[in-house]
Amino acid sequence: MITLDEKFRALEADNAPGQEVRQDLGELNAIMRGGKFDGVPVDFSHGDVDAFPPTPGSAEAWKNGFDRGGHQAYTEYRGAAKIREGLADRLGAFTGRPVSADSELIITPGTQGALFLALGATVTAGTKVAVVEPDYFANRKLVKFFGGEIIPIPLHYQGSLSENGPDLNRLEAAFKSGTKVFVFSTPNNPTGLVYSDSTITAISALGAAHDVTIIVDQLYSRMLYSGEVYTHLRSCDILPENLITIMGPSKTESLSGFRLGTAFGTSKLIDRMERLQAIVSLRAAGYNQAALETWFQEPLGWMEERISDHEAIRDELLKIFRAANFLTATPQAGSYLFPQLPPLSVDLNTFIRLLRHQAEVTVTPGPEFAPAFSDSIRLNFSQDHAAAVAAAARIVKMVEVYRT
Amino acid sequence: MITLDEKFRALEADNAPGQEVRQDLGELNAIMRGGKFDGVPVDFSHGDVDAFPPTPGSAEAWKNGFDRGGHQAYTEYRGAAKIREGLADRLGAFTGRPVSADSELIITPGTQGALFLALGATVTAGTKVAVVEPDYFANRKLVKFFGGEIIPIPLHYQGSLSENGPDLNRLEAAFKSGTKVFVFSTPNNPTGLVYSDSTITAISALGAAHDVTIIVDQLYSRMLYSGEVYTHLRSCDILPENLITIMGPSKTESLSGFRLGTAFGTSKLIDRMERLQAIVSLRAAGYNQAALETWFQEPLGWMEERISDHEAIRDELLKIFRAANFLTATPQAGSYLFPQLPPLSVDLNTFIRLLRHQAEVTVTPGPEFAPAFSDSIRLNFSQDHAAAVAAAARIVKMVEVYRT
């Protein structure tokens, strides 16, 4: 049996986004080549909500919640009924299938909270869980924490659109050999790949045929770049019996400081998630839930502008990295880039620490997303445009300095 | 091995405070005796933050946090360093032993979040955990969720001050036979019993002698009634190696709608709790953390007035219940009352549903705090004074109608 020490070693979080401040940067001067690079510090480990501020009206919505008093402070564990009603309508319309506010929706402390509850509701000791590689780093940690077994599914993301996507043969084989849960993100974190309509349809049908619970993290599905098409799994004709969709306003809408997310789908699983919520943190902070009133109700043109601003940054960073011959897939949605670096004379973690120390640029190491990606870094390019471009140029310069 | 269905049956939450709205009240008319009672509805399942509003300045502190932007939205998982610094000083001063802001303190989504993380960091399959009966209902659920084994420790709370407290012989026997963790609340939830100085000293020494991790929930330790004395376990001379103290501003300070709590103590456990936090919900909502600036810095006289207001309600409710011969211990701190009802002609859950339907009074059933308490109900009397008194009188009337 796994000991608590082993269990928590697997949860090591020092390289997780936002945790870099806890790293010891000593000893770096000894291996640093050349001097420091000038420039505005950029933390690509998460979006900059000062560059892309929260949805207009979100602070006022919070204050309205606060002023509503006890009723808003002590909501049901699954969230305030009235807020769920509006949300269910809007999420149902967006994802192409009605959502019952009463039985099929839970408000959670961020989409991280939703993922934790969804996996906690479906994974126990020995449960086989298919996990895409690369994908959001918490997926693997959560499966391990609940005692499940990870069945890795490779994702092709550097090919043509028709080649890209998860390996469906591997997925079917996993489903046939006892996999009970499949968790994945689309748009994929860290690559920005959007699963195609045919892939989503196939996954849904496979889940239905083999009675596999599907947990689909659609956190970035609103930030879809020009010409791209998004298929919501829950809009498929053939659906698995157990399906949870996860979305939240932390990214595109910059409401991460409110810790709000939602999960919606199979009522039996939503019930379990609420029971778990009751012992985890009771509820998403009551007053904060009120900020969800702004979600999917942003001012006219606001979302379009936000998307085109990000697309402009994406295009410029792609140009910079490709000019330096970093193999970098084009994100179809979301604000992540996952460039592959040429061979370096230092290991990736050292390079990343040097990058932070010498060039004031923070990125997330590829192995957070699956062990094999020790030559890749993830950038969240939801940043001030000029600062992001300058920081990307510094990354290229740093690679020149440290390449073999 | 326990199945997920069994696991989640143990987490049944319909009787938990705040969840009563999800209960089906149908069929009650058939067994109801007499008509409905007039009166202002009172929900004793949790405090009324409209009657006792949040600390002055807490909404403004939130807005300051929001205005600080990205820095406050994306804090370390254990909470913003600057806020932890001030908190560590104030919590150290209050509890009689210094707290290191860097290594010994984590900010959590409510004290529920702190309890979840503390037990998640110390309990795994087969871990024996001593749990007081009665005590906060989530303790038992959390131990079960993490696969631990509950070792029940009876609490004497209806005797004289010198007789009251946990059964220390049972506790020592449990510690001698492999118990690894002891979790308890003082002031006790649901009885309001404050563990005496000699009891706390004995528990700390026993924990040290038998290498038992102690998790002490001191949520209500600030609301101490006149003449009472409180001993902080972490101020003892002999301390267990692994000790976590939990406090938060949700109750006395009415900040529950912010979902804020803290845990402080052994750095190794705080590290584990942060790793777990990273996959549970990342952090307590960033902007909300700013409201902790008001904690232990309330306006002069504010806390004294809040305590004396509650003491007045306590005294009046005790008079009402004792006049009706409900055996009710005097809470020494906090705002819970745990009266024992005389034998009724309907089972407790039915009585509680009738109470809500017929008299518009909501209470929490005793068995939430340990299976044996099927003749007791818990009231959180942090309510409008007049409404609480009238509602207590309706409880007495309802007992008259339904007693055997």
Side-chain angles (χ1 to χ4, degrees):
Chain A
M1 190 158 56
I2 186 169
T3 66
L4 279 164
D5 272 332
E6 288 162 351
K7 193 164 168 177
F8 281 89
R9 214 170 297 130
L11 294 185
E12 200 273 317
D14 286 357
N15 291 317
Q19 289 303 94
E20 300 80 6
V21 289
R22 297 197 73 79
Q23 288 174 17
D24 179 10
L25 292 180
E27 309 302 320
L28 283 181
N29 286 317
I31 46 172
M32 191 170 117
R33 298 183 196 159
K36 294 203 176 191
F37 295 168
D38 282 340
V40 179
V42 173
D43 183 351
F44 284 117
S45 75
H46 57 75
D48 178 355
V49 300
D50 299 329
F52 288 102
T55 320
S58 51
E60 292 73 14
W62 182 91
K63 185 58 166 53
N64 291 341
F66 180 83
D67 291 340
R68 281 201 286 275
H71 185 66
Q72 189 64 49
Y74 286 90
T75 72
E76 286 172 66
Y77 297 147
R78 64 178 64 200
K82 213 176 153 69
I83 293 170
R84 276 186 287 123
E85 276 166 30
L87 269 183
D89 285 349
R90 305 197 293 278
L91 290 168
F94 180 68
T95 61
R97 183 173 296 270
V99 174
S100 156
D102 185 55
S103 64
E104 294 182 333
L105 174 65
I106 183 170
I107 297 170
T108 58
T111 53
Q112 181 67 54
L115 263 179
F116 179 84
L117 298 176
L119 286 165
T122 53
V123 179
T124 189
T127 307
K128 287 186 184 177
V129 184
V131 177
V132 171
E133 299 194 334
D135 207 328
Y136 179 48
F137 52 86
N139 294 355
R140 289 182 306 125
K141 291 182 180 180
L142 284 165
V143 173
K144 284 185 195 166
F145 182 75
F146 290 117
E149 182 188 344
I150 292 172
I151 311 294
I153 307 296
L155 180 75
H156 306 290
Y157 65 94
Q158 291 176 324
S160 68
L161 278 189
S162 64
E163 293 165 338
N164 282 343
D167 186 325
L168 291 177
N169 293 326
R170 288 279 289 273
L171 193 69
E172 184 169 14
F175 284 13
K176 280 183 173 166
S177 54
T179 291
K180 292 287 173 220
V181 179
F182 178 39
V183 57
F184 70 100
S185 59
T186 174
N188 173 260
N189 176 352
T191 67
L193 176 80
V194 170
Y195 285 32
S196 69
D197 184 70
S198 67
T199 300
I200 288 292
T201 307
I203 291 172
S204 192
L206 282 173
H210 299 284
D211 197 19
V212 172
T213 298
I214 294 184
I215 299 167
V216 51
D217 171 357
Q218 305 194 168
L219 180 50
Y220 264 114
S221 53
R222 295 186 78 191
M223 192 180 279
L224 197 65
Y225 296 123
S226 23
E228 305 292 349
V229 176
Y230 190 91
T231 301
H232 295 274
L233 198 146
R234 64 192 311 278
S235 74
C236 290
D237 290 333
I238 302 173
L239 283 181
E241 188 181 329
N242 292 306
L243 171 62
I244 295 291
T245 302
I246 290 172
M247 287 192 67
S250 287
K251 302 293 185 183
T252 310
E253 304 82 354
S254 297
L255 299 190
S256 182
F258 292 79
R259 294 280 78 216
L260 290 167
T262 61
F264 43 105
T266 314
S267 61
K268 179 189 166 178
L269 295 181
I270 298 292
D271 281 345
R272 281 189 184 171
M273 289 169 71
E274 181 178 46
R275 286 178 185 209
L276 187 49
Q277 176 95 294
I279 61 165
V280 171
S281 62
L282 298 185
R283 58 180 75 78
Y287 306 140
N288 299 27
Q289 291 178 32
L292 288 169
E293 303 280 19
T294 66
W295 199 31
F296 284 96
Q297 311 211 79
E298 296 83 6
L300 201 71
W302 183 88
M303 181 60 68
E304 291 73 11
E305 189 182 332
R306 180 143 290 201
I307 294 173
S308 70
D309 286 349
H310 280 83
E311 191 163 330
I313 302 171
R314 175 194 73 164
D315 291 344
E316 204 156 348
L317 296 196
L318 279 173
K319 242 183 262 171
I320 292 168
F321 291 143
R322 287 174 179 167
N325 289 315
F326 301 176
L327 200 55
T328 312
T330 303
Q332 298 166 271
S335 62
Y336 293 125
L337 269 181
F338 197 55
Q340 189 176 356
L341 306 182
L344 301 172
S345 57
V346 294
D347 65 62
L348 186 71
N349 272 336
T350 304
F351 176 75
I352 285 176
R353 289 166 65 217
L354 284 163
L355 188 61
R356 197 163 153 250
H357 183 62
Q358 191 168 359
E360 302 219 63
V361 176
T362 303
V363 300
T364 304
E368 289 285 310
F369 306 93
F373 296 89
S374 58
D375 56 359
S376 298
I377 57 175
R378 189 196 69 175
L379 290 78
N380 185 327
F381 60 81
S382 185
Q383 309 287 343
D384 174 79
H385 188 121
V389 167
R394 295 207 294 284
I395 294 175
V396 171
K397 271 172 69 182
M398 283 287 290
V399 165
E400 289 310 314
V401 171
Y402 291 97
R403 70 188 303 167
T404 48
Chain B
M1 190 157 58
I2 187 169
T3 67
L4 279 164
D5 273 331
E6 288 161 352
K7 193 165 169 176
F8 281 90
R9 215 170 297 129
L11 294 186
E12 198 272 317
D14 286 356
N15 291 317
Q19 290 302 97
E20 300 81 5
V21 290
R22 297 197 73 78
Q23 289 174 14
D24 179 9
L25 292 178
E27 307 304 322
L28 282 181
N29 285 318
I31 46 171
M32 190 170 117
R33 298 184 196 157
K36 295 202 175 192
F37 296 168
D38 283 340
V40 180
V42 173
D43 183 353
F44 284 117
S45 75
H46 57 74
D48 179 355
V49 300
D50 299 329
F52 289 103
T55 319
S58 52
E60 292 73 14
W62 182 91
K63 185 59 166 51
N64 290 341
F66 180 84
D67 290 340
R68 282 201 285 276
H71 185 66
Q72 190 65 48
Y74 286 91
T75 73
E76 286 172 65
Y77 297 148
R78 64 178 63 199
K82 214 177 152 67
I83 292 170
R84 275 186 286 121
E85 276 165 31
L87 268 184
D89 285 348
R90 305 198 293 278
L91 290 169
F94 180 68
T95 60
R97 183 175 294 272
V99 174
S100 156
D102 185 55
S103 64
E104 295 182 332
L105 173 65
I106 184 170
I107 297 170
T108 58
T111 53
Q112 181 69 54
L115 263 178
F116 179 83
L117 298 176
L119 286 164
T122 53
V123 179
T124 188
T127 307
K128 287 186 183 177
V129 184
V131 176
V132 171
E133 299 193 333
D135 207 328
Y136 179 48
F137 53 85
N139 294 355
R140 289 182 306 124
K141 290 180 181 180
L142 284 164
V143 174
K144 284 185 194 165
F145 181 75
F146 290 117
E149 182 189 343
I150 292 172
I151 311 294
I153 307 296
L155 179 76
H156 306 290
Y157 65 95
Q158 290 176 325
S160 67
L161 278 188
S162 64
E163 293 165 338
N164 281 344
D167 186 324
L168 291 177
N169 293 326
R170 288 279 290 272
L171 193 69
E172 184 170 14
F175 284 13
K176 281 182 173 166
S177 54
T179 291
K180 292 286 173 223
V181 179
F182 178 37
V183 56
F184 70 99
S185 60
T186 175
N188 172 260
N189 176 351
T191 67
L193 177 79
V194 170
Y195 285 32
S196 69
D197 182 71
S198 66
T199 300
I200 289 293
T201 307
I203 290 172
S204 191
L206 282 173
H210 300 283
D211 197 21
V212 172
T213 298
I214 295 184
I215 299 167
V216 51
D217 171 358
Q218 306 194 167
L219 180 52
Y220 263 115
S221 54
R222 294 186 78 192
M223 192 181 279
L224 196 65
Y225 294 123
S226 22
E228 304 293 349
V229 176
Y230 190 91
T231 301
H232 295 275
L233 197 146
R234 64 192 311 278
S235 74
C236 290
D237 291 332
I238 302 172
L239 283 181
E241 189 181 327
N242 293 306
L243 170 63
I244 294 292
T245 303
I246 290 172
M247 287 193 66
S250 287
K251 302 293 185 182
T252 309
E253 305 82 354
S254 298
L255 299 190
S256 182
F258 291 79
R259 294 282 75 217
L260 290 167
T262 62
F264 43 105
T266 314
S267 60
K268 178 189 166 179
L269 295 181
I270 298 293
D271 281 346
R272 281 190 185 169
M273 290 169 70
E274 181 178 46
R275 286 178 187 209
L276 187 48
Q277 176 95 294
I279 60 165
V280 170
S281 62
L282 299 186
R283 60 182 71 81
Y287 306 140
N288 299 28
Q289 292 179 31
L292 288 169
E293 303 279 19
T294 66
W295 198 31
F296 284 97
Q297 312 212 79
E298 296 83 6
L300 201 71
W302 183 87
M303 182 58 69
E304 291 73 11
E305 188 181 333
R306 180 142 291 200
I307 293 173
S308 69
D309 287 350
H310 281 83
E311 191 164 328
I313 302 171
R314 175 195 73 165
D315 291 344
E316 204 156 350
L317 296 196
L318 279 173
K319 242 183 262 172
I320 292 168
F321 289 144
R322 286 174 179 166
N325 290 316
F326 300 177
L327 200 56
T328 313
T330 303
Q332 298 166 270
S335 63
Y336 293 125
L337 270 180
F338 198 54
Q340 188 176 356
L341 306 181
L344 301 171
S345 58
V346 293
D347 65 62
L348 186 72
N349 271 336
T350 303
F351 177 75
I352 285 175
R353 289 167 66 217
L354 284 163
L355 187 62
R356 197 163 153 250
H357 183 61
Q358 192 168 358
E360 301 218 63
V361 176
T362 304
V363 299
T364 304
E368 289 285 309
F369 306 93
F373 297 89
S374 60
D375 56 358
S376 298
I377 57 174
R378 188 195 70 174
L379 291 77
N380 184 328
F381 60 82
S382 186
Q383 308 287 344
D384 175 81
H385 188 123
V389 168
R394 295 207 295 283
I395 294 175
V396 171
K397 270 172 69 181
M398 283 287 290
V399 166
E400 289 310 315
V401 171
Y402 290 98
R403 71 188 301 167
T404 48

